[in-house]
């Protein structure tokens, strides 16, 4: 898992670095050397003769001034058309050339455009403009310079003097609009408002994707090796800073485009404009073809043929017209509801939330983080009274040392592998009560007495029994037979242990057969009356082994049941006190672990092991140290304290980071879910609300529409 996390982190880091470098390169390229629109990607190089012709053209036209009514204030021609290192490339394009002009006192009031890109055309070449023009251009410090037009090159221009040339003749098939008699007044040039800028700004999906990647990197840092954590956090922080700044920044003065405020009479020509072939009818302001937002088309007829103020971008896109039509007012009262970034952030935060729930345990980090924020203390206790007087809170560090009783687990499973079963020394009862006594049982004593009696008779020691003649005992041993010299004792001790009629059925049947008795009650009666005194029973070795196995099997069930009952009796500590437990299952005692589990023993050995463990663990020294993760009180008044090992500095920061990241993704997911629903609802009605607003403005007979109610 750690290897996968490292590989994923490295891949994400490389991808972010690559795309960040590309974005930086794109932003760092000056405007003068950016690739021009419509140009071929593979330019040819400028020849020395062409460079000489261009420089000669500059010398001939030093006196010209370049100014654009739709761009910036006048600037010297030499500064605008100076050669740069990027002028070595010549770009070729075939496209229509459009000519624009406004009322101005500048000597050269005509401006030429390839689509929305303004170019400088030598004055004498205007007569060569056709509908489709083969143009070659180079980049300069200002606007691109046309060095070739429809086969005419600046190499041929060297012998001409543009200052003495007369006005060029009008070419019928030229793709230019002649200046009209109706003049257009330029009122001023302003920057677009923040609302107008917001209408065309990016949707924020790219920045939202960066923030989602940053959240994913923060999640990976919770599972990654320690050495990679600072790098992952640094990259995630940089992405959050950059993406957040791009998402919420206000537009700078340089980022906002120029808006030209004009005054003139819009007219509908009924013709297609040169650069916009998708309009039903062309509307012009003087010689400027206007481009309107589609939803304005039903209302622009109100200003046709009237003196009107019109605000436009350089690309002729209308921003405001007349008294009511205004993109600024639309954005202020009916903002564009861009929900793409909310959808991306919602999906990204939901993904990180699911990964946290699946791969990271959250209960402990949340518990400890909350406690640490409230303030934690260090508590030490060497007796119960000190611990009882302390104000315990979750998140405090507890160090307790004393003597207590290991917790007794009554749910003993036969397949359990805990060496301390039934004792669980990861939990300790600590109180001032007297320790519980060792387990005792009369039934176990009776079972031990029966086992000892049978074993003593089946495996006697020679010359040790005064009731048997030594010579007879030697003869019996040589014959291979086994003598039961006190058969009545076996019967009576069996009855004492198995007084229930349903117990020890097989053992009772075997003893009945050996005594040749009618039934068990009659055999017991004979044994109690002394009728079996002096009766000796001879057994073959196989029969003796069978009898021994029957006795062992019968007593084993009593040992098991008595062990369980004794365990239940041990699980009755005195009321009050404390139950200190490790939530990680760590032992709180220093005793060496037994090699075998309690259930690895059978019969009497199991009972003996229980007594040995009880003598060791009912009152044993312990040492508990850790952070309190849980506090509770049971019905007996015993306070339960759960401890977790004290985390190191790295673990503490992981816990805090997990909690912060969890709350962060929950807040981001919830906020973007709400915004997504709201913006989808508003966006569904935005077009209708704008139409109703404009209808109420242009039709006074209709009831006035409240902007507040529409928004």
């Amino acid at each position: 898992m750690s290897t996968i996390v490292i590989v994923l982190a490295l891949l994400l880091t490389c991808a972010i670095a690559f795309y960040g470098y590309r974005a930086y390169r794109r932003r760092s390229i000056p405007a003068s050397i950016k690739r021009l629109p419509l140009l071929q990607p593979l330019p040819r190089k400028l020849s020395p003769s062409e460079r000489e012709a261009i420089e000669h053209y500059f010398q001939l036209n030093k006196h010209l001034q370049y100014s654009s009514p739709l761009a910036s204030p006048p600037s010297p021609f030499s500064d605008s058309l100076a050669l740069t290192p990027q002028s070595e490339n010549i770009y070729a394009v075939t496209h229509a050339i459009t000519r624009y002009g406004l009322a101005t006192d500048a000597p050269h009031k005509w401006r030429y455009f390839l689509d929305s890109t303004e170019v400088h055309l030598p004055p004498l070449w205007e007569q060569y403009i056709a509908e489709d023009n083969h143009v070659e251009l180079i980049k300069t410090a200002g606007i691109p310079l046309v060095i070739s037009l429809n086969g005419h090159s600046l190499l041929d221009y060297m012998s001409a003097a543009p200052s003495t040339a007369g006005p060029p003749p009008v070419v019928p098939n030229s793709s230019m609009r002649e200046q009209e008699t109706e003049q257009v007044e330029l009122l001023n040039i302003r920057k677009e408002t923040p609302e107008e800028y917001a209408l065309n700004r990016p949707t924020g999906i790219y920045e939202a994707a960066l923030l989602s990647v940053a959240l994913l990197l923060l999640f990976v840092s919770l599972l990654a090796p320690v050495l990679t954590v600072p790098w992952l956090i640094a990259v995630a922080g940089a992405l959050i800073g950059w993406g957040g700044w791009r998402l919420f920044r206000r537009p700078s003065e340089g980022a906002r485009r120029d808006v030209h405020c004009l005054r003139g009479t819009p007219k509908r020509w009924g013709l297609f404009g040169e650069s916009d072939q998708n309009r039903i009818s062309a509307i012009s302001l003087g010689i400027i073809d206007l481009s309107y937002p589609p939803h304005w088309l039903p209302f622009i007829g109100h200003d046709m043929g009237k003196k009107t103020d019109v605000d436009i971008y350089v690309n002729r896109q209308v921003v405001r017209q007349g008294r009511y039509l205004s993109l600024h007012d639309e954005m202020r009262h009916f903002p564009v509801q861009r929900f793409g970034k909310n959808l991306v952030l919602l999906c990204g935060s939901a993904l990180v939330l699911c990964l946290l729930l699946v791969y990271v345990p959250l209960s402990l980090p949340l518990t400890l983080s909350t406690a640490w924020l409230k303030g934690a203390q260090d508590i030490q206790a060497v007796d119960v009274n000190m611990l009882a007087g302390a104000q315990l809170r979750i998140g405090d560090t507890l160090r307790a040392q004393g003597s207590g009783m290991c917790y007794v687990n009554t749910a003993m499973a036969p397949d359990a592998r805990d060496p301390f079963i039934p004792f669980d020394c990861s939990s300790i009862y600590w109180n001032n009560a007297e320790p519980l006594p060792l387990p005792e049982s009369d039934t176990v004593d009776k079972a031990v007495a029966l086992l000892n009696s049978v074993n003593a008779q089946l495996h006697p020691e020679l010359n040790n029994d005064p009731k048997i003649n030594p010579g007879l005992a030697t003869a019996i041993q040589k014959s291979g037979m086994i003598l039961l010299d006190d058969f009545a004792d076996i019967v009576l001790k069996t009855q004492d242990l198995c007084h229930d009629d349903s117990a020890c059925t097989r053992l009772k049947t075997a003893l009945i057969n050996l005594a040749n008795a009618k039934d068990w009650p009659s055999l017991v009666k004979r044994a109690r009356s002394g009728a079996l005194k002096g009766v000796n029973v001879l057994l073959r070795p196989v029969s003796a082994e069978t009898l021994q196995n029957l006795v062992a099997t019968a007593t084993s069930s009593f040992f098991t049941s008595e062990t369980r009952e004794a365990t239940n009796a041990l699980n009755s500590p005195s009321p009050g006190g404390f139950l200190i437990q490790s939530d990680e299952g760590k032992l709180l005692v220093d005793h060496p672990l037994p090699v075998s589990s309690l259930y690895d023993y059978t019969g009497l050995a199991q009972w003996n092991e229980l007594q040995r463990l009880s003598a060791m663990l009912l009152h044993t020294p312990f040492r508990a140290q850790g952070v309190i993760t849980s506090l509770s009180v049971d019905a007996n008044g015993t306070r339960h304290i759960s401890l977790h090992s004290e985390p190191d500095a790295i673990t503490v920061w992981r816990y805090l980071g997990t909690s912060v990241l969890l709350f962060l993704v929950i807040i981001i997911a919830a906020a973007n879910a709400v915004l997504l629903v709201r913006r989808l609802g508003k966006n569904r009605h935005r077009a209708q609300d704008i139409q109703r607003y404009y209808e109420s403005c242009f039709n006074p007979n209709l009831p006035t529409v409240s902007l507040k109610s529409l928004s």
Side-chain angles (χ1 to χ4, degrees):
M1 177 64 186
S2 60
T3 304
I4 297 176
V5 170
I6 294 174
V7 173
L8 180 60
L10 291 176
L11 290 177
L12 286 175
T13 304
C14 294
I16 292 168
F18 174 73
Y19 284 107
Y21 175 75
R22 289 190 59 186
Y24 171 77
R25 289 288 299 169
R26 287 196 300 267
R27 290 179 58 85
S28 63
I29 298 176
S32 60
I33 64 173
K34 289 183 180 179
R35 179 169 295 176
L36 297 174
L38 305 174
L39 298 185
Q40 297 178 359
L42 297 176
R44 68 179 180 87
K45 294 297 181 179
L46 187 68
S47 65
S49 58
E50 290 173 328
R51 172 180 287 275
E52 183 181 357
I54 294 171
E55 293 176 350
H56 180 70
Y57 174 75
F58 289 169
Q59 291 294 329
L60 292 177
N61 294 275
K62 278 185 177 181
H63 62 283
L64 294 178
Q65 295 290 322
Y66 166 70
S67 62
S68 175
L70 295 181
S72 57
S75 59
F77 174 84
S78 57
D79 295 339
S80 301
L81 293 180
L83 293 178
T84 66
Q86 289 72 35
S87 302
E88 295 294 330
N89 297 323
I90 299 178
Y91 299 88
V93 63
T94 300
H95 202 272
I97 296 178
T98 307
R99 184 177 70 173
Y100 297 99
L102 294 176
T104 176
D105 297 332
H108 296 275
K109 55 189 175 183
W110 296 106
R111 296 293 173 259
Y112 305 93
F113 289 82
L114 292 177
D115 228 358
S116 60
T117 303
E118 185 175 4
V119 297
H120 177 83
L121 183 70
L124 294 181
W125 284 0
E126 183 177 303
Q127 55 186 319
Y128 306 125
I129 297 176
E131 292 186 5
D132 289 325
N133 303 277
H134 180 71
V135 181
E136 290 185 338
L137 309 96
I138 63 170
K139 300 173 183 177
T140 66
I143 61 176
L145 170 66
V146 177
I147 65 171
S148 175
L149 173 64
N150 297 329
H152 300 275
S153 174
L154 280 182
L155 294 173
D156 307 326
Y157 201 91
M158 295 176 62
S159 59
S163 59
T164 60
V170 177
V171 181
N173 61 349
S174 173
S175 178
M176 300 184 300
R177 180 180 301 282
E178 296 297 335
Q179 184 178 8
E180 303 295 332
T181 56
E182 178 66 31
Q183 299 298 319
V184 177
E185 181 182 358
L186 176 62
L187 300 179
N188 68 300
I189 300 176
R190 65 174 177 86
K191 291 291 184 180
E192 61 180 345
T193 63
E195 288 78 9
E196 293 167 349
Y197 173 83
L199 188 63
N200 300 310
R201 70 176 301 176
T203 59
I205 294 179
Y206 176 73
E207 290 79 6
L210 288 180
L211 296 178
S212 300
V213 172
L215 293 177
L216 186 60
L217 285 178
L218 291 177
F219 164 75
V220 173
S221 68
L222 298 177
L223 305 176
V226 177
L227 294 178
T228 62
V229 170
W231 297 100
L232 292 173
I233 295 178
V235 173
L239 290 179
I240 291 175
W242 187 32
W245 176 75
R246 287 177 56 88
L247 197 61
F248 299 106
R249 64 173 177 172
R250 293 185 60 84
S252 62
E253 189 72 16
R256 290 185 289 172
R257 294 182 292 175
D258 291 333
V259 176
H260 295 76
C261 302
L262 310 177
R263 178 174 295 167
T265 304
K267 293 183 179 180
R268 190 188 304 273
W269 293 93
L271 301 173
F272 293 107
E274 291 91 347
S275 60
D276 192 351
Q277 301 293 329
N278 296 323
R279 296 294 183 192
I280 297 177
S281 59
I283 298 177
S284 298
L285 186 67
I287 64 170
I288 303 175
D289 289 337
L290 301 179
S291 177
Y292 288 92
H295 61 282
W296 282 13
L297 294 180
F299 309 104
I300 58 179
H302 293 78
D303 297 320
M304 292 298 102
K306 302 177 183 177
K307 202 74 170 179
T308 306
D309 291 343
V310 180
D311 295 354
I312 64 173
Y313 290 119
V314 177
N315 61 358
R316 307 176 312 282
Q317 176 69 43
V318 179
V319 179
R320 181 180 178 275
Q321 177 173 300
R323 181 179 179 183
Y324 302 113
L325 295 177
S326 172
L327 295 180
H328 171 87
D329 293 341
E330 289 182 15
M331 279 297 295
R332 192 174 70 176
H333 301 297
F334 312 101
V336 173
Q337 305 298 324
R338 294 190 174 94
F339 55 86
K341 58 184 178 183
N342 301 113
L343 180 60
V344 173
L345 284 174
L346 175 60
C347 295
S349 57
L351 173 61
V352 175
L353 179 60
C354 293
L355 292 176
L356 282 172
L357 295 176
V358 172
Y359 292 104
V360 180
L362 299 176
S363 58
L364 185 60
L366 289 177
T367 301
L368 296 183
S369 299
T370 305
W372 289 333
L373 290 176
K374 295 179 180 179
Q377 56 183 344
D378 195 345
I379 301 173
Q380 295 186 1
V382 295
D383 59 51
V384 179
N385 295 330
M386 290 181 62
L387 187 59
Q391 297 293 329
L392 300 178
R393 295 181 303 176
I394 294 177
D396 293 344
T397 300
L398 175 64
R399 294 177 176 87
Q401 185 175 355
S403 295
M405 168 186 165
C406 289
Y407 175 76
V408 178
N409 182 14
T410 58
M412 295 190 301
D415 59 346
R417 292 294 179 264
D418 190 347
F420 283 122
I421 282 180
F423 293 95
D424 180 7
C425 289
S426 64
S427 301
I428 297 291
Y429 281 108
W430 197 22
N431 50 42
N432 291 323
E434 291 294 328
L436 295 177
L438 296 180
E440 296 180 356
S441 173
D442 293 337
T443 301
V444 171
D445 294 340
K446 294 176 182 178
V448 171
L450 176 60
L451 280 175
N452 292 337
S453 177
V454 172
N455 288 334
Q457 295 184 52
L458 292 180
H459 306 285
E461 296 183 5
L462 293 178
N463 302 324
N464 201 29
D465 192 347
K467 295 182 291 182
I468 302 178
N469 187 288
L472 178 60
T474 302
I476 293 174
Q477 184 180 13
K478 289 182 179 180
S479 66
M481 302 294 286
I482 298 175
L483 175 64
L484 297 178
D485 58 349
D486 196 355
F487 185 73
D489 184 61
I490 296 176
V491 173
L492 292 177
K493 289 182 178 178
T494 301
Q495 175 59 24
D496 193 18
L497 177 65
C498 308
H499 53 80
D500 191 355
D501 294 339
S502 60
C504 312
T505 304
R506 295 182 62 190
L507 177 60
K508 291 177 180 179
T509 302
L511 295 177
I512 291 172
N513 293 334
L514 290 176
N516 198 17
K518 179 180 179 181
D519 52 23
W520 180 254
S522 61
L523 179 60
V524 173
K525 184 177 181 181
R526 289 172 58 190
R528 287 177 177 172
S529 64
L532 295 180
K533 188 175 182 180
V535 175
N536 297 324
V537 178
L538 290 176
L539 298 177
R540 293 185 178 88
V542 175
S543 300
E545 184 179 359
T546 301
L547 177 62
Q548 187 175 11
N549 291 337
L550 289 175
V551 173
T553 302
T555 56
S556 178
S557 61
F558 289 99
F559 287 129
T560 301
S561 61
E562 288 301 307
T563 300
R564 188 176 296 276
E565 290 180 4
T567 301
N568 292 334
L570 291 176
N571 192 26
S572 300
S574 301
F578 297 89
L579 177 60
I580 304 174
Q581 53 191 355
S582 170
D583 59 6
E584 300 169 286
K586 293 184 177 180
L587 298 181
L588 304 180
V589 298
D590 296 330
H591 297 291
L593 297 179
V595 177
S596 302
S597 174
L598 181 64
Y599 281 107
D600 291 338
Y601 301 92
T602 58
L604 182 59
Q606 188 179 92
W607 176 262
N608 292 334
E609 180 66 11
L610 175 63
Q611 286 194 315
R612 186 185 73 83
L613 292 175
S614 299
M616 181 174 61
L617 302 177
L618 285 179
H619 191 70
T620 179
F622 74 92
R623 182 182 293 105
Q625 180 176 340
V627 179
I628 300 176
T629 59
S630 176
L631 292 171
S632 61
V633 181
D634 60 16
N636 292 328
T638 302
R639 299 177 65 182
H640 293 235
I641 303 175
S642 295
L643 299 180
H644 190 85
S645 299
E646 290 186 80
D648 54 14
I650 298 299
T651 306
V652 170
W653 282 110
R654 287 187 188 273
Y655 285 167
L656 293 175
T658 300
S659 302
V660 172
L661 182 60
L662 178 64
F663 286 116
L664 182 63
V665 296
I666 290 177
I667 292 173
I668 292 176
N672 283 279
V674 173
L675 290 175
L676 179 63
V677 173
R678 291 183 59 187
R679 289 179 174 176
L680 284 175
K682 290 184 177 181
N683 194 55
R684 188 179 298 111
H685 305 289
R686 182 175 184 270
Q688 292 84 346
D689 292 341
I690 293 176
Q691 292 288 347
R692 290 167 53 194
Y693 167 67
Y694 282 144
E695 288 175 358
S696 64
C697 292
F698 286 101
N699 296 279
N701 296 329
L702 296 177
T704 303
V705 179
S706 173
L707 289 175
K708 184 176 180 181
S709 63
L710 290 177
S711 60

